[in-house]
Amino acid sequence: MTKLYINDQEQFDNNKNFNLLVNSLKNSLSSDWEIYCHPYLNGIRPDIVLMNENKGVHVIDVGIKPHNPVDRLDAIKSDIANLYCPRANEISKETIFISFADLSRPENEIHLNNVNRLDNFSIISNSDINEDGTIIFDRAIPLITTNDSNEFNSDMAQDLRGWLRISDFGLEFDDDETIHLDEKQQELVDERSKTGYRRIKGSAGSGKTLVLAHKAAKLITQGKKVLILTFNITLMNYIRLLILRAVRKYNTNKDIPDNLLQIYNYHDYVKNYLISIGHKHVWNNFWKGRGNQKPPDSTFKEDIPNAFLRYLDKYGPHESYYAILVDEGSDFVPEMWQGCMCLIEEGGEAYLVKDGAQDIYENEKSWTDDVMKEAGFRGRWNELERSYRMPYKYLPKIKNFIDMYLADDEDINHPLNDKRPDITADMLEDISTYWQQVHEDVNHDYCIKHLLRMMPLKEEFSYSNVIFLTLSRMDGIDIIENLKKKNIKVAHTFTKPDRSKKMQFSLLNEKIKATTVNSIKGFEGPMILLQIMPRSNLVSEAKQAKLVYTALTRLRLGMNSKAFISVVCSDPAFKSYGETWGENFYNETLN
């Protein structure tokens, strides 16, 4: 029997045409189909989603919501392909279909604005209703009759299924894998500040994201709605998994509420808000006339946040939240936070967490004390000082980097490497570190050599453990193309459109992971190759240092307390730091 999931029973019961449509689908589709009515889908709430893990996905809008259904369907299809089912992106033309349903009129009387720009689109009308009152879908839903040859598969279905019905999402880990908080971290989760607003800073690996995940888990199990915002798209799946794990700690029934948690990249949230109020054209205008060119930074830091504020003032928020939690707060500017404040319920809470050393977009200067007060953040910062993620033996190298390049920044937190409760285990760590200072014109060759020869030979590591980091997207593209010629599979974020690739980055485990430092914030791995090329004139010395710091701090322990990092550097500014690696430093520029 076809699996039917109804999230809004009242809407289903009270809408005659909607009821007829769903029941006809249930009777027409074979048992390998799943039907979702008003699934939450991270707050998007499409009317109907059909999925068959052997064929693909079909989304149907029945016109319940106001404004143009074409804009909604176009956005939902894009979000499914790019964010919620990213592994289907490259074959989405054959696997993701959309329809508008209006059973009150024949098709020739249904007129929709801009419908010609939609691919894989159909209309379901009363022209499709049989004499016996049933609906024939063969024309409107081609996946019903197509052969199982669209390359859509169970892995892709599971990616999407986890967003469609969170409560049934399978968490493949044992109880002892749940990460516990220390006393300070738990205090930040449990205790509410006087105003409800709290700012937290800490060094890399100090558990900032973990605190946010536990805070969100605790609140949603109390029935409170939470919005988590990031700047980095790659973090969305990672944060979600941390929250789903943490829910088990605060809800003994292990039921995960479907409709209380949303996780968004800030700009995606603004886009969806504008669509919900019928003003998608405002969003489109930011890209108008640019082709494939990305708008300037001012568009993301000023124009979009200011437009969000204007329309919030005019129309109000689409929905409000008890708490808004911002991860990687160094990526946000005050204008972005002003819009967030409009979404918080009266008496609600707000968290802003950051590591000042990872201010790779150079936003810190805009957060003056007065601006912080206006944003609701008063008093001293809450600080997380201990670094739990990075290997104990590796921490002195990070401290050296801070002392040499970031010492003048008062906002930097040094990761503590003493008073660790697991000090005995730390002494058993096996950390391999290599720094090669090479000429710029051979840097790519050295990186490829590392990826092909040295790294796969490391005991207990495989290609799936490898993360290749570069400061430049163009440098990354060149290396990826060379690896492809050697039949090495790589999951990367370098090509455009790269939104789905950023989400795939955390889903695909069988390949080398390759990305820019900008997209790796919040992630870590036990085996890293970092490429450092000389900075361009567009990058300041301070920004280059923070990019390198961010990359160096992505290292964590792997199996049997082992970790590996190799740096191939052609920037002379970091040669003296490389020399502090002692016997692990190799100056190839002398050859």
Side-chain angles (χ1 to χ4, degrees), residues 184-399:
K184 176 64 174 179
Q185 292 168 336
Q186 193 66 59
E187 177 185 313
L188 292 173
V189 171
D190 293 338
E191 296 185 7
R192 173 191 166 96
S193 67
K194 290 182 180 180
T195 64
Y197 283 56
R198 174 167 274 149
R199 49 182 177 170
I200 304 170
K201 65 179 180 178
S203 61
S206 59
K208 300 182 297 297
T209 301
L210 191 61
V211 167
L212 283 192
H214 277 253
K215 182 67 176 179
K218 185 168 185 177
L219 290 176
I220 63 176
T221 56
Q222 294 173 350
K224 297 175 179 177
K225 187 180 292 186
V226 176
L227 171 65
I228 293 185
L229 292 175
T230 76
F231 190 82
N232 189 352
I233 296 171
T234 55
L235 278 175
M236 287 178 58
N237 270 319
Y238 175 67
I239 293 174
R240 175 168 158 267
L241 180 59
L242 287 178
I243 294 172
L244 296 182
R245 288 183 174 184
V247 160
R248 297 166 54 156
K249 177 176 180 178
Y250 303 100
N251 186 350
T252 56
N253 294 325
K254 299 182 181 179
D255 292 329
I256 305 171
D258 278 344
N259 62 342
L260 297 176
L261 175 66
Q262 294 181 29
I263 307 172
Y264 272 99
N265 157 268
Y266 168 83
H267 294 98
D268 275 343
Y269 187 90
V270 174
K271 180 192 72 173
N272 285 334
Y273 169 78
L274 291 171
I275 292 173
S276 73
I277 61 173
H279 286 74
K280 187 182 180 182
H281 65 279
V282 176
W283 180 263
N284 292 340
N285 286 340
F286 293 123
W287 275 261
K288 190 174 182 179
R290 298 187 181 277
N292 293 326
Q293 295 297 316
K294 184 179 178 181
D297 287 347
S298 60
T299 298
F300 298 98
K301 292 185 178 183
E302 301 171 13
D303 299 342
I304 293 176
N306 288 330
F308 187 34
L309 278 169
R310 287 197 307 274
Y311 282 89
L312 281 170
D313 183 60
K314 185 175 182 179
Y315 295 98
H318 180 59
E319 56 186 320
S320 57
Y321 307 86
Y322 173 79
I324 292 184
L325 314 178
V326 174
D327 199 14
E328 300 294 345
S330 294
D331 296 342
F332 278 63
V333 293
E335 289 80 1
M336 295 164 66
W337 178 247
Q338 289 171 19
C340 297
M341 293 175 68
C342 299
L343 307 177
I344 303 173
E345 298 173 359
E346 185 176 353
E349 297 186 57
Y351 275 39
L352 179 76
V353 305
K354 69 163 189 173
D355 174 4
Q358 297 185 51
D359 178 28
I360 61 178
Y361 298 106
E362 300 182 300
N363 295 328
E364 290 288 342
K365 57 181 178 290
S366 63
W367 286 98
T368 64
D369 289 340
D370 288 340
V371 170
M372 274 289 182
K373 291 178 182 178
E374 292 176 3
F377 299 107
R378 299 173 182 272
R380 299 179 61 182
W381 283 84
N382 296 275
E383 296 191 40
L384 297 174
E385 298 176 328
R386 294 178 181 172
S387 179
Y388 291 104
R389 168 171 51 78
M390 284 187 291
Y392 173 75
K393 295 180 180 179
Y394 181 66
L395 289 177
K397 288 183 169 56
I398 300 303
K399 185 178 184 302

Side-chain angles (χ1 to χ4, degrees), residues 78-98:
S78 175
D79 285 345
I80 288 176
N82 289 303
L83 300 176
Y84 307 119
C85 188
R87 285 186 268 190
N89 177 269
E90 295 180 358
I91 54 173
S92 61
K93 287 186 177 180
E94 292 78 29
T95 60
I96 303 177
F97 290 76
I98 50 179

Side-chain angles (χ1 to χ4, degrees), residues 4-74:
L4 175 61
Y5 305 92
I6 301 176
N7 278 6
D8 188 345
Q9 188 67 46
E10 183 178 356
Q11 185 70 255
F12 179 77
D13 293 336
N14 295 338
N15 190 312
K16 179 181 177 181
N17 286 335
F18 186 42
N19 192 306
L20 171 61
L21 181 63
V22 173
N23 282 322
S24 295
L25 286 167
K26 183 179 178 182
N27 294 329
S28 300
L29 299 178
S30 55
S31 60
D32 52 352
W33 281 89
E34 301 166 33
I35 305 175
Y36 299 89
C37 298
H38 294 116
Y40 194 61
L41 194 60
N42 204 27
I44 297 175
R45 300 183 185 88
D47 292 336
I48 299 174
V49 175
L50 312 175
M51 183 168 68
N52 185 314
E53 65 180 37
N54 297 312
K55 296 184 177 183
V57 178
H58 197 114
V59 181
I60 303 174
D61 190 299
V62 299
I64 295 175
K65 301 182 184 71
H67 312 304
N68 186 5
V70 170
D71 288 342
R72 285 197 299 274
L73 285 167
D74 190 29

